[in-house]
Amino acid sequence: GAVVSQHPSWVICKSGTSVKIECRSLDFQATTMFWYRQFPKQSLMLMATSNEGSKATYEQGVEKDKFLINHASLTLSTLTVTSAHPEDSSFYICSALSPLRSPSYEQYFGPGTRLTVT
Amino acid sequence: RKEVEQDPGPFNVPEGATVAFNCTYSNSASQSFFWYRQDCRKEPKLLMSVYSSGNEDGRFTAQLNRASQYISLLIRDSKLSDSATYLCVVNLKAAGNKLTFGGGTRVLVKP
């Protein structure tokens, strides 16, 4: 069964509003969570790495003030897209990592959130 | 040069045939390698890890060539349900276990 959940699975919002996406590891504590974005016909691009209790590390070109990441517990990370614009419309996917659960450092992916900004 | 490169395809494969494709990676310090499968508008799902000695899982065989920095995936006896995009993924543990994804190889299995 699914080990990582995301909520909501899809969302439509108006330009200028903010949207929060939740990522939860269901039966394990994730030391690290990752946030990815995928545009149509492109591969996943890592946006940021999130460790519980510390600030997220953002990839080059990703605005940290626009994509706010909070990793408040070992089972929950949130991504807030602030002041969303149509170009932020994308498929946002999180993943969770637990070396205890997977010594090969497999990441477990959530089902993704499809964001459409009108 | 991209860190992980794949032939985007599509590979049009008759049902029952064998298809194979490669992926090259640029960072020689890469430590873990995976093949993921992604269906349209869905999240990636792990197909198999790739080990140095090569490994097989049913109809799927993965190989790793560290000297030439490539990994391969072979699918035997292709099924219609194998139609998907196959993502080559590399883990650089020294970079905080970040996964780097290739652009994906699209496989279409036709009756």
Side-chain angles (χ1 to χ4, degrees), chain A residues 38 43 59 105-107 110, chain B residues 38 43 46 97-99 102:
Chain A
Q38 185 175 34
S43 194
E59 294 300 299
Y105 294 88
E106 175 187 347
Q107 289 185 20
Chain B
Q38 187 175 27
E43 79 278 19
L46 179 66
N97 290 306
K98 291 196 299 186
L99 294 183

Side-chain angles (χ1 to χ4, degrees), chain B residues 2 5 16 18 22 28 34 37 40 44 54-55 72-73 78 88 94 103:
Chain B
K2 290 183 182 176
E5 293 203 65
T18 296
N22 292 341
S28 59
F34 308 92
R37 157 191 183 131
C40 191
N55 48 301
S72 64
L73 181 66
S78 299
C88 172

